[in-house]
Amino acid sequence: MEKQTWQFVDSYMTERLRIGDEGLDAALANNRQKGLPAIDVSPTQGKLLTLLARMKGAKRVLEIGTLGGYSTICLAQGLSDTGKIVTLEYEPKHATCAKENIAFAGYADQVDIIVGPALESLPILHQQQQTFDFIFIDADKPNNPHYVKWALQLASPGAVLVADNVIRDGEVLNAHSTDPRVQGIRTFVELLEQEERIEATAIQTVGEKGYDGFILGIVR
């Protein structure tokens, strides 16, 4: 009953706050048609990304984990007209779908999709001396510790860092979990505990995606 209530509340807020638009709805429909997993951020969470990017005044966004581009579109909606997003996606099928969705939403000129393992793409971005003022991590969780290390090298001073799915139904507490996603998140959190270059907090969430949460930080 709890999860059903969370879903109803999300639907209520999405409708009353007029969250979502034709581009975002079309992205979800196209993702379903192409058989992508339904693991996008929820509409309310996507709107939070839009607002955070807008509050930051983000001009250069790095997204690790594109999927079908739903969160990419949300981030693009928070950018200025001259803002740019670099988004990294492992699966070519997902990247192709995301390219379609992003173009339909009107952000093709502001988004560069790089296909391949993120841990191969991130060093190249570093070699190119690219920097970012907003970084969203939402990819394979076992590699989160590696992603945050690269994120700190690519972040400009004052950059905002958001990492999704860090609570996992409370399993983050389970030190003996055999789930590599949980262990990846735990190592990620332990790295943040020792890392003086970032100030962070964690927010637990409930909603149509269940019980989870995200980490929000600012690079010093």
Side-chain angles (χ1 to χ4, degrees), residues 141-142 168 171 174-186:
K141 310 311 171 189
R168 311 201 71 83
E171 274 296 292
N174 184 2
H176 304 291
S177 174
T178 58
D179 187 334
R181 297 170 300 178
V182 172
Q183 292 300 337
I185 293 298
R186 287 181 58 86

Side-chain angles (χ1 to χ4, degrees), residues 164-215:
D164 201 13
N165 307 126
V166 300
I167 304 299
R168 311 201 71 83
D169 288 316
E171 274 296 292
V172 69
L173 295 177
N174 184 2
H176 304 291
S177 174
T178 58
D179 187 334
R181 297 170 300 178
V182 172
Q183 292 300 337
I185 293 298
R186 287 181 58 86
T187 303
F188 169 59
V189 173
E190 290 162 6
L191 284 172
L192 291 179
E193 178 186 14
Q194 303 297 325
E195 182 54 68
E196 296 182 354
R197 289 175 291 175
I198 186 167
E199 183 176 2
T201 188
I203 305 296
Q204 299 181 76
T205 60
V206 296
E208 64 181 65
K209 298 294 182 178
Y211 171 37
D212 213 325
F214 62 93
I215 280 175

Side-chain angles (χ1 to χ4, degrees), residues 97-208:
C97 185
K99 186 175 181 179
E100 296 171 357
N101 295 337
I102 291 163
F104 182 84
Y107 296 105
D109 291 341
Q110 290 183 268
V111 179
D112 292 328
I113 304 174
I114 299 177
V115 183
L119 291 179
E120 294 180 6
S121 302
L122 291 166
I124 295 173
L125 295 175
H126 187 252
Q127 290 168 8
Q128 294 171 342
Q129 298 184 326
Q130 295 201 43
T131 59
F132 301 90
D133 55 12
F134 195 107
I135 299 172
F136 179 46
I137 301 175
D138 190 15
D140 54 314
K141 310 311 171 189
N143 277 321
N144 263 27
H146 302 296
Y147 294 150
V148 75
K149 289 177 181 178
W150 279 112
L152 288 170
Q153 293 189 65
L154 292 162
S156 56
V160 171
L161 173 71
V162 181
D164 201 13
N165 307 126
V166 300
I167 304 299
R168 311 201 71 83
D169 288 316
E171 274 296 292
V172 69
L173 295 177
N174 184 2
H176 304 291
S177 174
T178 58
D179 187 334
R181 297 170 300 178
V182 172
Q183 292 300 337
I185 293 298
R186 287 181 58 86
T187 303
F188 169 59
V189 173
E190 290 162 6
L191 284 172
L192 291 179
E193 178 186 14
Q194 303 297 325
E195 182 54 68
E196 296 182 354
R197 289 175 291 175
I198 186 167
E199 183 176 2
T201 188
I203 305 296
Q204 299 181 76
T205 60
V206 296
E208 64 181 65

